[in-house]
């Protein structure tokens, strides 16, 4: 192991001598979720206010004219106003490679990102290890318009099998400057994978669909949590406004429609975020 670490050090050290300085970015977000319980019956639908803080730092390593490597780390925290069992912290490394197809600001950029993290949750059975792999293609169409296509596969292995999640998601977005210093982004996304839904028993329909189910007190009532394989279709709008050269406000709305016939879960998310890059 010592020889391996020494070899990695010899490999990475010369790269870091050509790296750009770390550029930490902090994003603080407040999100109202209308259906935090992922329920399809009105009596079981519970909304809550979620607070998130994401701190990411990356160092850029040039690999030539068209390629670069980003080595970094990410700290993510979530705190909920009513349902503190959902509170969590995740910390781990990130690495991404990007390639620019040509010269100039209108050349498309393709990137691959890998991330891993350890997750600590207030409900300890939700804690575990998580990882993801993502592909992205971004292009500026003109001076004020950008498009982005992404595909991601993610996995969370929790202490309890009920809270394991595997999924894949594809998304497309277009961003355009409406007037100076105001940008509007429209996005659509499709996800297929594990969903955790909560409901008051008896629910014979959910029993037939679920891979695993257990009683759960996260939402302070006698719910059963059901792990389902489902698909989600969603879309959103986000309006952002820079405050200065290093920070910006973003206001957003997202709609999610999660379906596993014959049940369907609708969630409306309204958010406000501030981002600061040091």
């Amino acid at each position: 192991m010592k020889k391996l670490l020494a070899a990695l050090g010899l490999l990475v050290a010369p790269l870091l001598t050509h790296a750009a300085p770390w550029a930490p970015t902090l994003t603080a977000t407040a999100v109202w979720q209308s259906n935090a319980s992922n329920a399809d019956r009105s009596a079981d639908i519970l909304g809550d206010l979620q607070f998130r803080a994401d701190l990411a730092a990356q160092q850029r390593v040039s690999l030539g004219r068209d390629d670069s490597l980003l080595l970094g780390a990410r700290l993510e925290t979530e705190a909920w106003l009513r349902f503190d069992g959902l509170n969590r912290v995740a910390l781990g490394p990130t690495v991404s490679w990007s390639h620019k197809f040509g010269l100039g600001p209108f050349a498309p950029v393709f990137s691959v990102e890998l991330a891993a993290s350890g997750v600590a949750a207030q409900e300890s059975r939700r804690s575990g290890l998580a990882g993801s792999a993502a592909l992205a293609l971004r292009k500026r169409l003109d001076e004020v318009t950008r498009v982005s296509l992404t595909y991601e596969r993610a996995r969370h292995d929790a202490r309890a099998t009920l809270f394991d999640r595997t999924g894949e998601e594809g998304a497309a977005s277009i961003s355009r400057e409406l007037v100076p210093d105001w940008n509007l982004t429209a996005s659509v996304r499709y996800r297929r994978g594990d969903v955790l839904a909560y409901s008051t028993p008896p629910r014979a329909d959910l029993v037939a669909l679920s891979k695993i189910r257990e009683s759960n007190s996260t939402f302070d009532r006698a719910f059963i949590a059901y792990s389902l394989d489902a698909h989600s279709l969603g879309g959103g709008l986000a309006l952002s406004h820079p405050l200065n050269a290093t920070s910006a406000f973003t206001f957003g709305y997202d709609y999610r429609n999660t379906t596993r016939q014959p049940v369907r879960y609708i969630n409306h998310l309204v958010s406000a975020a501030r981002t600061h890059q040091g």
Side-chain angles (χ1 to χ4, degrees):
M1 178 61 73
K2 291 182 179 180
K3 291 182 178 179
L4 177 59
L5 292 176
L8 289 174
L10 291 174
L11 178 64
V12 172
L15 293 176
L16 294 181
T17 61
H18 298 89
W22 292 91
T25 299
L26 175 64
T27 302
T29 309
V31 185
W32 170 256
Q33 296 200 26
S34 68
N35 189 1
S37 53
N38 264 353
D40 65 335
R41 293 181 175 177
S42 58
D44 295 333
I45 295 175
L46 300 173
D48 198 8
L49 187 61
Q50 177 194 41
F51 301 95
R52 296 200 306 258
D54 300 329
L55 177 63
Q58 294 180 320
Q59 187 154 350
R60 183 179 180 275
V61 180
S62 177
L63 301 178
R65 188 190 69 178
D66 300 323
D67 298 274
S68 62
L69 192 67
L70 290 174
L71 306 175
R74 184 178 297 157
L75 172 66
E76 302 173 332
T77 64
E78 292 182 12
W80 295 73
L81 185 64
R82 297 173 58 193
F83 308 119
D84 55 12
L86 298 174
N87 295 350
R88 65 192 289 273
V89 177
L91 175 64
T94 63
V95 59
S96 66
W97 163 78
S98 64
H99 176 79
K100 187 175 182 180
F101 295 91
L103 300 174
F106 300 107
V109 177
F110 174 75
S111 63
V112 179
E113 179 177 308
L114 303 176
S117 62
V119 180
Q122 184 152 331
E123 288 184 3
S124 60
R125 298 172 73 241
R126 297 177 183 267
S127 302
L129 298 175
S132 64
L135 308 176
L137 181 64
R138 299 178 176 86
K139 188 180 187 327
R140 183 189 290 271
L141 299 182
D142 53 40
E143 295 294 341
V144 295
T145 310
R146 299 182 181 184
V147 295
S148 173
L149 300 173
T150 61
Y151 172 78
E152 180 185 66
R153 287 188 63 89
R155 169 72 181 174
H156 174 66
D157 288 303
R159 291 183 180 177
T161 306
L162 175 69
F163 300 112
D164 288 347
R165 290 209 313 168
T166 300
E168 56 182 339
E169 179 176 288
S173 67
I174 181 168
S175 177
R176 184 173 177 83
E177 184 178 15
L178 300 178
V179 294
D181 295 333
W182 286 96
N183 291 278
L184 180 66
T185 300
S187 61
V188 293
R189 56 179 49 86
Y190 176 84
R191 181 185 183 277
R192 177 68 184 267
D194 297 322
V195 173
L196 201 59
Y198 300 82
S199 185
T200 303
R203 289 296 302 270
D205 54 345
L206 290 178
V207 170
L209 296 175
S210 61
K211 298 182 293 184
I212 185 172
R213 60 188 183 277
E214 294 181 10
S215 58
N216 182 271
S217 59
T218 299
F219 294 95
D220 302 325
R221 61 173 65 184
F223 273 160
I224 300 294
Y226 302 87
S227 178
L228 310 173
D229 180 26
H231 62 269
S232 300
L233 182 63
L237 294 172
L239 186 64
S240 61
H241 175 64
L243 301 175
N244 49 49
T246 59
S247 62
F249 266 123
T250 301
F251 305 93
Y253 167 77
D254 284 275
Y255 169 86
R256 295 178 187 170
N257 181 346
T258 302
T259 305
R260 174 66 188 273
Q261 294 295 342
V263 296
R264 185 174 70 157
Y265 311 102
I266 302 296
N267 199 0
H268 302 274
L269 300 92
V270 181
S271 63
R274 178 169 180 175
T275 301
H276 178 79
Q277 185 170 11

